[in-house]
Coordinates of all heavy atoms in Angstrom, one line a residue:
M9 N 47.3 210.4 168.2 CA 48.0 209.1 168.4 C 47.4 208.0 167.6 O 46.2 207.8 167.8 CB 48.1 208.8 169.8 CG 48.6 207.3 170.1 SD 48.8 206.8 171.8 CE 47.2 207.1 172.5
P10 N 48.1 207.4 166.6 CA 47.5 206.3 165.9 C 47.3 205.1 166.8 O 48.2 204.7 167.5 CB 48.6 206.0 164.8 CG 49.8 206.7 165.3 CD 49.5 207.7 166.2
K11 N 46.1 204.6 166.7 CA 45.8 203.4 167.5 C 45.7 202.2 166.6 O 45.0 202.2 165.6 CB 44.4 203.7 168.2 CG 43.9 202.6 169.1 CD 44.3 202.9 170.5 CE 43.6 201.8 171.4 NZ 44.5 201.2 172.2
V12 N 46.4 201.1 166.9 CA 46.3 199.9 166.2 C 45.0 199.2 166.7 O 44.8 199.1 167.9 CB 47.5 199.0 166.4 CG1 47.4 197.7 165.7 CG2 48.8 199.8 165.9
S13 N 44.3 198.6 165.7 CA 43.0 198.0 166.1 C 43.3 196.8 166.9 O 44.3 196.1 166.8 CB 42.2 197.6 164.8 OG 42.9 196.4 164.2
P14 N 42.4 196.4 167.9 CA 42.6 195.3 168.7 C 42.7 194.0 167.9 O 43.5 193.1 168.3 CB 41.3 195.3 169.6 CG 40.8 196.7 169.6 CD 41.2 197.2 168.3
E15 N 42.0 193.9 166.8 CA 42.1 192.7 166.0 C 43.5 192.5 165.4 O 44.0 191.4 165.4 CB 41.0 192.7 164.8 CG 39.6 192.7 165.3 CD 39.1 194.1 165.7 OE1 39.7 195.1 165.4 OE2 38.0 194.2 166.3
L16 N 44.0 193.6 164.9 CA 45.4 193.5 164.3 C 46.4 193.2 165.4 O 47.3 192.4 165.3 CB 45.7 194.8 163.6 CG 47.1 194.9 162.9 CD1 47.3 193.7 162.0 CD2 47.3 196.2 162.3
L17 N 46.3 193.9 166.5 CA 47.2 193.8 167.6 C 47.2 192.3 168.1 O 48.2 191.8 168.6 CB 46.8 194.7 168.7 CG 47.9 195.1 169.8 CD1 49.2 195.5 169.1 CD2 47.5 196.1 170.7
S18 N 46.1 191.7 168.1 CA 46.0 190.3 168.6 C 46.8 189.3 167.8 O 47.1 188.2 168.3 CB 44.5 189.8 168.7 OG 44.0 189.6 167.4
I19 N 47.1 189.6 166.5 CA 47.8 188.7 165.7 C 49.3 189.1 165.4 O 50.1 188.3 165.0 CB 47.1 188.4 164.3 CG1 47.0 189.8 163.5 CG2 45.8 187.8 164.5 CD1 46.5 189.6 162.1
L20 N 49.6 190.4 165.7 CA 51.0 190.8 165.5 C 51.9 190.2 166.5 O 51.6 190.0 167.7 CB 51.1 192.3 165.6 CG 50.4 193.1 164.5 CD1 50.5 194.6 164.7 CD2 51.0 192.8 163.1
R21 N 53.1 189.9 166.1 CA 54.2 189.4 167.0 C 55.5 190.1 166.7 O 55.7 190.6 165.6 CB 54.4 187.9 166.8 CG 53.2 187.0 167.1 CD 52.9 187.0 168.6 NE 51.8 186.2 169.0 CZ 50.6 186.6 169.2 NH1 50.3 187.9 169.1 NH2 49.6 185.8 169.6
C22 N 56.3 190.2 167.8 CA 57.6 190.7 167.6 C 58.4 189.9 166.7 O 58.5 188.6 166.9 CB 58.3 190.8 169.0 SG 60.0 191.3 168.9
P23 N 59.1 190.4 165.6 CA 59.8 189.6 164.7 C 61.1 189.0 165.3 O 61.7 188.1 164.8 CB 60.2 190.6 163.6 CG 60.1 191.9 164.2 CD 59.0 191.8 165.3
V24 N 61.5 189.6 166.4 CA 62.8 189.1 167.1 C 62.5 188.0 168.1 O 63.0 186.9 168.1 CB 63.6 190.2 167.7 CG1 64.8 189.7 168.4 CG2 64.0 191.2 166.6
T25 N 61.5 188.3 169.0 CA 61.3 187.4 170.2 C 60.1 186.5 169.9 O 59.9 185.5 170.6 CB 61.0 188.2 171.4 OG1 59.8 188.9 171.3 CG2 62.1 189.1 171.8
G26 N 59.2 186.9 169.0 CA 58.0 186.1 168.7 C 56.9 186.3 169.7 O 55.9 185.7 169.6
S27 N 57.1 187.3 170.6 CA 56.1 187.5 171.6 C 55.1 188.5 171.1 O 55.3 189.2 170.2 CB 56.8 188.2 172.9 OG 57.3 189.4 172.5
P28 N 53.9 188.5 171.8 CA 52.8 189.4 171.5 C 53.4 190.9 171.7 O 54.3 191.1 172.4 CB 51.7 189.1 172.4 CG 52.0 187.7 172.9 CD 53.5 187.6 172.9
L29 N 52.7 191.8 171.0 CA 53.0 193.2 171.2 C 51.9 194.0 171.9 O 50.7 193.6 171.7 CB 53.3 193.8 169.8 CG 54.4 193.2 169.0 CD1 54.3 193.6 167.5 CD2 55.8 193.6 169.6
V30 N 52.3 195.0 172.6 CA 51.3 195.9 173.2 C 51.6 197.3 172.8 O 52.7 197.6 172.5 CB 51.3 195.8 174.8 CG1 50.9 194.4 175.3 CG2 52.7 196.1 175.3
Q31 N 50.5 198.1 172.7 CA 50.7 199.5 172.3 C 51.0 200.4 173.5 O 50.3 200.3 174.4 CB 49.5 200.0 171.5 CG 49.8 201.4 170.9 CD 48.8 201.8 169.8 OE1 47.9 201.1 169.5 NE2 49.0 203.0 169.3
E32 N 52.1 201.1 173.4 CA 52.4 202.2 174.4 C 52.6 203.5 173.6 O 53.6 203.6 173.0 CB 53.6 201.8 175.2 CG 53.4 200.6 176.1 CD 54.7 200.2 176.9 OE1 55.7 201.0 176.8 OE2 54.7 199.2 177.6
G33 N 51.6 204.3 173.7 CA 51.7 205.6 172.9 C 51.8 205.3 171.5 O 50.9 204.7 170.9
E34 N 52.8 205.8 170.8 CA 52.9 205.7 169.4 C 53.9 204.6 169.0 O 54.5 204.6 167.9 CB 53.4 207.0 168.7 CG 52.3 208.1 168.9 CD 52.6 209.4 168.2 OE1 53.4 209.3 167.2 OE2 52.0 210.4 168.5
E35 N 54.1 203.6 169.9 CA 54.9 202.5 169.6 C 54.3 201.2 170.0 O 53.4 201.2 170.9 CB 56.2 202.6 170.4 CG 57.1 203.8 170.1 CD 58.3 203.8 170.9 OE1 58.3 203.7 172.1 OE2 59.4 204.1 170.3
L36 N 54.8 200.1 169.4 CA 54.4 198.8 169.9 C 55.6 198.2 170.6 O 56.7 198.4 170.2 CB 54.0 197.9 168.7 CG 52.8 198.3 167.9 CD1 52.6 197.3 166.7 CD2 51.6 198.4 168.8
V37 N 55.4 197.5 171.7 CA 56.4 197.0 172.6 C 56.3 195.5 172.7 O 55.2 195.0 173.0 CB 56.4 197.7 173.9 CG1 57.6 197.2 174.8 CG2 56.5 199.2 173.8
S38 N 57.4 194.8 172.6 CA 57.4 193.3 172.8 C 57.1 193.0 174.3 O 57.5 193.8 175.1 CB 58.7 192.7 172.3 OG 59.8 193.1 173.1
T39 N 56.4 191.9 174.5 CA 56.1 191.6 175.9 C 57.2 190.7 176.5 O 57.2 190.4 177.7 CB 54.8 190.8 176.0 OG1 54.8 189.7 175.1 CG2 53.6 191.7 175.6
A40 N 58.2 190.2 175.6 CA 59.3 189.5 176.1 C 60.6 190.2 175.8 O 60.6 191.1 174.9 CB 59.3 188.1 175.4
E41 N 61.6 190.0 176.6 CA 62.9 190.6 176.4 C 63.7 189.9 175.3 O 63.6 188.7 175.2 CB 63.6 190.7 177.7 CG 62.9 191.5 178.8 CD 63.5 191.4 180.1 OE1 64.4 190.6 180.3 OE2 63.2 192.2 181.0
D42 N 64.6 190.7 174.7 CA 65.5 190.1 173.7 C 66.7 189.5 174.4 O 66.7 189.5 175.7 CB 65.9 191.1 172.6 CG 66.7 192.3 173.1 OD1 67.0 192.3 174.3 OD2 67.1 193.1 172.3
T43 N 67.7 189.1 173.7 CA 68.9 188.5 174.3 C 69.7 189.5 175.2 O 70.5 189.1 176.0 CB 69.9 187.9 173.2 OG1 70.2 188.9 172.3 CG2 69.2 186.8 172.5
N44 N 69.5 190.8 175.0 CA 70.1 191.8 175.8 C 69.3 192.2 177.0 O 69.7 193.1 177.7 CB 70.4 193.1 174.9 CG 71.3 192.8 173.8 OD1 72.3 192.0 173.9 ND2 71.1 193.5 172.7
G45 N 68.2 191.6 177.2 CA 67.3 191.9 178.4 C 66.5 193.1 178.2 O 66.0 193.6 179.2
E46 N 66.3 193.5 176.9 CA 65.5 194.7 176.7 C 64.2 194.3 175.9 O 64.2 193.4 175.1 CB 66.3 195.7 175.9 CG 67.5 196.2 176.6 CD 68.3 197.2 175.7 OE1 67.8 197.6 174.6 OE2 69.4 197.5 176.1
K47 N 63.1 195.1 176.2 CA 61.9 194.9 175.4 C 62.1 195.8 174.1 O 62.5 196.9 174.2 CB 60.7 195.3 176.2 CG 60.4 194.3 177.3 CD 59.1 194.5 178.0 CE 58.9 193.5 179.1 NZ 57.6 193.6 179.7
L48 N 61.8 195.2 173.0 CA 62.0 195.9 171.7 C 60.8 196.8 171.4 O 59.6 196.5 171.8 CB 62.2 194.9 170.6 CG 63.4 194.1 170.7 CD1 63.4 192.9 169.7 CD2 64.7 194.9 170.6
R49 N 61.1 197.9 170.8 CA 60.0 198.9 170.5 C 60.0 199.2 169.0 O 61.0 199.2 168.4 CB 60.3 200.2 171.3 CG 60.5 200.0 172.8 CD 60.8 201.3 173.5 NE 59.6 202.1 173.8 CZ 58.8 201.7 174.8 NH1 59.0 200.7 175.6 NH2 57.7 202.5 175.1
Y50 N 58.8 199.3 168.5 CA 58.5 199.5 167.1 C 57.6 200.7 166.9 O 56.6 200.7 167.5 CB 57.9 198.2 166.4 CG 58.8 197.0 166.6 CD1 58.5 196.1 167.7 CD2 59.8 196.7 165.8 CE1 59.3 195.0 167.9 CE2 60.6 195.6 166.0 CZ 60.4 194.7 167.0 OH 61.2 193.6 167.2
S51 N 58.0 201.6 166.0 CA 57.2 202.8 165.8 C 56.0 202.5 164.9 O 56.0 201.5 164.2 CB 58.1 203.9 165.2 OG 58.5 203.5 163.9
I52 N 55.1 203.3 165.0 CA 53.9 203.3 164.1 C 53.9 204.6 163.3 O 53.9 205.7 163.8 CB 52.6 203.2 165.0 CG1 52.6 202.0 165.9 CG2 51.3 203.1 164.1 CD1 51.5 202.0 166.9
E53 N 53.9 204.4 162.0 CA 53.9 205.6 161.1 C 52.7 205.5 160.2 O 52.4 204.5 159.5 CB 55.2 205.6 160.2 CG 56.4 205.9 161.1 CD 57.6 206.1 160.2 OE1 57.5 206.3 159.0 OE2 58.7 206.0 160.8
D54 N 51.9 206.6 160.2 CA 50.6 206.7 159.5 C 49.7 205.5 159.7 O 49.1 204.9 158.8 CB 50.9 206.8 158.0 CG 51.7 208.0 157.6 OD1 51.4 209.1 158.3 OD2 52.6 208.0 156.7
G55 N 49.7 205.0 161.0 CA 48.8 203.9 161.3 C 49.4 202.5 161.0 O 48.7 201.5 161.2
I56 N 50.6 202.5 160.5 CA 51.2 201.2 160.0 C 52.4 200.9 161.0 O 53.4 201.6 161.0 CB 51.7 201.3 158.6 CG1 50.5 201.6 157.7 CG2 52.4 200.0 158.2 CD1 50.9 202.0 156.3
P57 N 52.3 199.7 161.6 CA 53.5 199.3 162.5 C 54.7 199.0 161.6 O 54.6 198.2 160.7 CB 53.0 198.1 163.2 CG 51.5 198.1 163.1 CD 51.2 198.8 161.8
L58 N 55.9 199.5 162.0 CA 57.1 199.2 161.3 C 57.8 198.1 162.1 O 58.5 198.4 163.0 CB 58.0 200.4 161.2 CG 57.4 201.6 160.4 CD1 58.3 202.8 160.4 CD2 56.9 201.2 159.0
L59 N 57.6 196.9 161.7 CA 58.1 195.7 162.5 C 59.4 195.2 161.9 O 59.5 194.0 161.6 CB 57.0 194.6 162.5 CG 55.7 195.0 163.2 CD1 54.7 193.8 163.1 CD2 55.9 195.4 164.6
L60 N 60.3 196.0 161.8 CA 61.7 195.6 161.4 C 62.6 195.6 162.6 O 62.5 196.4 163.5 CB 62.3 196.6 160.4 CG 61.7 196.7 159.0 CD1 62.3 197.8 158.2 CD2 61.9 195.3 158.3
P61 N 63.4 194.5 162.7 CA 64.4 194.5 163.8 C 65.2 195.7 163.8 O 65.5 196.3 162.7 CB 65.2 193.2 163.5 CG 64.3 192.4 162.7 CD 63.5 193.3 161.9
P62 N 65.7 196.2 164.9 CA 66.4 197.5 165.0 C 67.6 197.6 163.9 O 67.7 198.7 163.3 CB 67.0 197.5 166.4 CG 66.0 196.7 167.2 CD 65.6 195.6 166.2
E63 N 68.4 196.5 163.7 CA 69.5 196.7 162.8 C 69.0 196.8 161.4 O 69.6 197.5 160.5 CB 70.4 195.5 162.9 CG 69.8 194.1 162.6 CD 69.1 193.5 163.8 OE1 68.9 194.1 164.8 OE2 68.6 192.3 163.6
L64 N 67.9 196.2 161.0 CA 67.3 196.4 159.7 C 66.6 197.7 159.5 O 66.7 198.3 158.4 CB 66.4 195.2 159.3 CG 67.0 193.8 159.2 CD1 65.9 192.8 158.9 CD2 68.1 193.8 158.2
L65 N 66.0 198.2 160.5 CA 65.3 199.5 160.4 C 66.4 200.6 160.2 O 66.1 201.5 159.4 CB 64.6 199.8 161.7 CG 63.7 201.1 161.7 CD1 62.7 201.0 160.6 CD2 63.0 201.3 163.0
A66 N 67.5 200.5 160.8 CA 68.6 201.5 160.6 C 69.0 201.5 159.1 O 69.2 202.5 158.5 CB 69.8 201.3 161.5
A67 N 69.2 200.3 158.6 CA 69.6 200.1 157.2 C 68.5 200.6 156.3 O 68.8 201.3 155.2 CB 69.9 198.7 156.9
A68 N 67.3 200.4 156.6 CA 66.2 200.8 155.7 C 66.1 202.3 155.7 O 65.8 203.0 154.7 CB 64.9 200.2 156.2
N69 N 66.3 203.0 156.9 CA 66.2 204.4 157.0 C 67.4 205.1 156.2 O 67.3 206.2 155.7 CB 66.2 204.9 158.4 CG 64.9 204.6 159.1 OD1 63.9 204.5 158.4 ND2 64.9 204.5 160.4
A70 N 68.6 204.4 156.2 CA 69.7 204.9 155.5 C 69.6 204.8 154.0 O 70.3 205.6 153.3 CB 71.0 204.2 156.0
A71 N 68.9 203.9 153.5 CA 68.8 203.7 152.1 C 67.9 204.8 151.5 O 67.0 205.3 152.0 CB 68.1 202.3 151.8
T72 N 68.3 205.2 150.3 CA 67.5 206.2 149.5 C 67.0 205.5 148.3 O 67.5 204.5 147.9 CB 68.4 207.4 149.1 OG1 69.4 207.0 148.3 CG2 69.0 208.1 150.4
S73 N 66.0 206.1 147.7 CA 65.4 205.5 146.5 C 66.4 205.4 145.3 O 66.3 204.5 144.5 CB 64.2 206.3 146.0 OG 64.6 207.6 145.7
G74 N 67.5 206.2 145.3 CA 68.5 206.1 144.3 C 69.4 204.9 144.5 O 70.2 204.5 143.6
Q75 N 69.4 204.3 145.7 CA 70.2 203.1 145.9 C 69.6 201.8 145.5 O 70.2 200.8 145.5 CB 70.6 203.0 147.4 CG 71.5 204.2 147.8 CD 71.7 204.2 149.3 OE1 70.9 203.8 150.1 NE2 72.9 204.5 149.7
H76 N 68.3 201.8 145.2 CA 67.6 200.6 144.8 C 68.0 200.2 143.3 O 68.2 201.1 142.5 CB 66.1 200.7 145.0 CG 65.7 200.9 146.4 ND1 65.8 199.9 147.3 CD2 65.3 202.0 147.1 CE1 65.4 200.4 148.5 NE2 65.1 201.7 148.4
D77 N 68.0 198.9 143.1 CA 68.2 198.5 141.7 C 67.0 198.9 140.8 O 65.9 198.7 141.2 CB 68.4 197.0 141.7 CG 69.6 196.5 142.4 OD1 70.6 197.3 142.5 OD2 69.7 195.3 142.8
S78 N 67.3 199.3 139.6 CA 66.2 199.6 138.7 C 66.0 198.4 137.8 O 66.9 197.7 137.5 CB 66.6 200.9 137.9 OG 67.7 200.6 137.1
K79 N 64.8 198.2 137.4 CA 64.4 197.1 136.5 C 64.6 197.6 135.1 O 64.0 198.6 134.7 CB 63.0 196.6 136.8 CG 63.0 196.0 138.1 CD 61.6 195.3 138.3 CE 61.6 194.7 139.7 NZ 60.5 193.9 140.0
A80 N 65.4 196.9 134.3 CA 65.6 197.4 132.9 C 64.6 196.8 132.0 O 64.0 195.8 132.2 CB 67.0 196.9 132.5

């Protein structure tokens, strides 16, 4: 299980609620609820927290490298 260092965890904040995050297993969880009354969860991949709001994470996962603009 990737562990986020205490130093990094002390400065990270939920991008939606602005609340501190706590690590639960392989996810970071907001300490405050969003407008739907839920605590937001963010995955950790290769030791890097993916702090994208859920709607942006879905869009990022759907995008492929072929969909990005190329620089001419």
Side-chain angles (χ1 to χ4, degrees):
M9 164 177 61
K11 180 99 170 125
V12 176
S13 74
E15 295 84 12
L16 179 58
L17 200 52
S18 72
I19 60 172
L20 290 178
R21 296 290 179 263
C22 173
V24 175
T25 66
S27 67
L29 298 165
V30 294
Q31 186 166 359
E32 292 182 5
E34 295 187 22
E35 295 180 314
L36 296 181
V37 182
S38 64
T39 56
E41 297 174 346
D42 67 0
T43 56
N44 297 324
E46 298 178 11
K47 292 188 177 186
L48 297 170
R49 305 180 85 76
Y50 302 95
S51 63
I52 302 169
E53 292 186 16
D54 297 324
I56 301 169
L58 301 179
L59 299 179
L60 287 174
E63 62 276 4
L64 293 180
L65 185 59
N69 287 336
T72 63
S73 61
Q75 293 175 323
H76 296 287
D77 294 334
S78 61
K79 295 186 180 188

